[in-house]
Amino acid sequence: MTDTLDLSGAIARHTADLLADGYCIIPGALAPATIGALDDDLAGDFDLTPFGQGGFYGTTTKRFGRLLVRSSHAAALVQHRLVLGIAEAVLSPWCDRIQLNTTQAIAVHPGAPAQLPHRDQDMWRGPVGEIEYLVNVMWPLNDFTDENGATRVWPESHGANALAEPDGAPFAAEMAPGAALLFLGSTLHGAGANRTREVRRGIVIGYALGWLKPYENQWLAYPPEVARAFPPDLAALVGYRQHRPNLGNFEGQCPSVLLGGRADRPLGAVDALRPDQQVPVDAFVQEQRDAR
Ligand SMILES: O=C(O)CCC(=O)C(=O)O
Ligand SMILES: [Fe+2]
């Protein structure tokens, strides 16, 4: 059913909201049962993972990545068609293809203070206010409330406003499992304080411009032995795809050669250029042929 639905209207609507406000919330983006099954799969990992260290991650929160190997339900979030469509709409002005930047589970424990308000794009030291680098999606695993540390978001703190101090107040993104909070890499946000006795559990999934160094090392998180079992579009999203021109290549070819058993012999480099590069390259090659 979902596959036949035309999502273009919904993608355009949510993208407009995201670009206008710096965030948008999609209630009921997935069935709560899917999120419940994912939460169950991750329960053991939450138990075993030590608390973080350092003032940014926080010593009263737990975090771990590599969600695609921890639960078969994680792919439903990573490859959510509406979310992917929105991320592509926001980021495609600056790249050929988007890539998975991270999947991270975050548990904010009772007594946790608020996280430093920050912009996730500051992990890359590029121009501010000219480019969007990242779209992040926060999926609650249990109810997010103001009291238990729901992500705080500063509306309209994004884009060129990232150059100035925010003038407005944040709101707590209260949501039920199944909802998704999308925010831009330029939007000021942070986990709230947990003033309850329950653990706030959530998942952040980020999509970045395809030519950036991803926050989570995707090729180590999902080495070829693992990525070989992924559907091709998921393998491409985690990095087994060149970004034109020739970026992320393996032996001069698309790294997907590592998944198809074709990398066991010398390969030879093959151009993968953008059209604006291909045209002058072809013309120059032709010019030299003609001159001979
Ligand atoms: O846990 C949250 O609500 C937000 C976490 C966050 O923004 C981060 O770690 O970058
Ligand atoms: Fe963040």
Side-chain angles (χ1 to χ4, degrees):
M1 175 69 184
T2 329
D3 283 344
T4 60
L5 279 178
D6 180 7
L7 292 173
S8 57
I11 290 171
R13 248 187 351 267
H14 289 299
T15 302
D17 288 346
L18 180 54
L19 290 174
D21 303 331
Y23 75 94
C24 69
I25 292 176
I26 309 175
L30 276 176
T34 304
I35 302 296
L38 173 58
D39 192 30
D40 287 347
D41 283 350
L42 300 181
D45 294 317
F46 273 125
D47 278 348
L48 290 173
T49 301
F51 283 103
Q53 295 183 32
F56 181 72
Y57 282 146
T59 54
T60 41
T61 70
K62 293 184 173 187
R63 289 159 197 268
F64 53 84
R66 289 195 307 130
L67 300 189
L68 289 166
V69 293
R70 296 182 192 266
S71 170
S72 60
H73 299 287
L77 284 65
V78 170
Q79 293 191 285
H80 191 277
R81 290 177 63 234
L82 176 56
V83 165
L84 270 181
I86 298 166
E88 280 164 3
V90 170
L91 299 174
S92 61
W94 299 286
C95 65
D96 257 13
R97 303 283 188 171
I98 65 169
Q99 65 179 333
L100 190 63
N101 190 53
T102 190
T103 65
Q104 189 179 73
I106 305 175
V108 176
H109 279 246
Q115 187 186 28
L116 174 81
H118 61 279
R119 294 179 168 90
D120 289 334
Q121 69 179 9
D122 292 340
M123 70 179 93
W124 301 291
R125 201 158 175 175
V128 173
E130 298 168 31
I131 295 179
E132 286 301 336
Y133 299 87
L134 176 72
V135 173
N136 259 344
V137 187
M138 180 61 75
W139 296 88
L141 292 173
N142 57 344
D143 281 335
F144 271 29
T145 66
D146 189 16
E147 292 74 34
N148 76 3
T151 310
R152 297 191 303 162
V153 177
W154 276 256
E156 296 178 31
S157 58
H158 64 295
N161 289 344
L163 290 160
E165 285 302 309
D167 49 12
F171 75 96
E174 298 198 312
M175 304 182 278
L181 161 71
L182 280 69
F183 56 98
L184 300 170
S186 60
T187 304
L188 194 67
H189 70 282
N194 188 343
R195 302 183 297 275
T196 72
R197 300 175 68 167
E198 65 173 1
V199 178
R200 190 226 72 176
R201 297 184 307 282
I203 282 174
V204 65
I205 294 182
Y207 308 89
L209 299 177
W211 44 264
L212 282 169
K213 181 180 179 114
Y215 164 81
E216 179 183 37
N217 189 316
Q218 299 297 309
W219 294 292
L220 294 180
Y222 311 113
E225 315 81 85
V226 171
R228 208 164 279 145
F230 290 174
D233 47 353
L234 183 59
L237 195 60
V238 305
Y240 292 89
R241 169 168 60 195
Q242 274 185 117
H243 191 286
R244 295 181 299 177
N246 303 333
L247 263 179
N249 75 80
F250 178 81
E251 298 282 19
Q253 292 201 12
C254 180
S256 60
V257 294
L258 287 163
L259 309 181
R262 284 171 286 140
D264 56 354
R265 64 195 86 100
L267 291 170
V270 181
D271 270 342
L273 304 178
R274 292 194 309 260
D276 64 298
Q277 298 167 318
Q278 191 69 59
V279 169
V281 164
D282 290 347
F284 189 74
V285 168
Q286 192 57 46
E287 234 171 70
Q288 291 183 88
R289 274 202 198 115
D290 294 346
R292 262 199 257 131

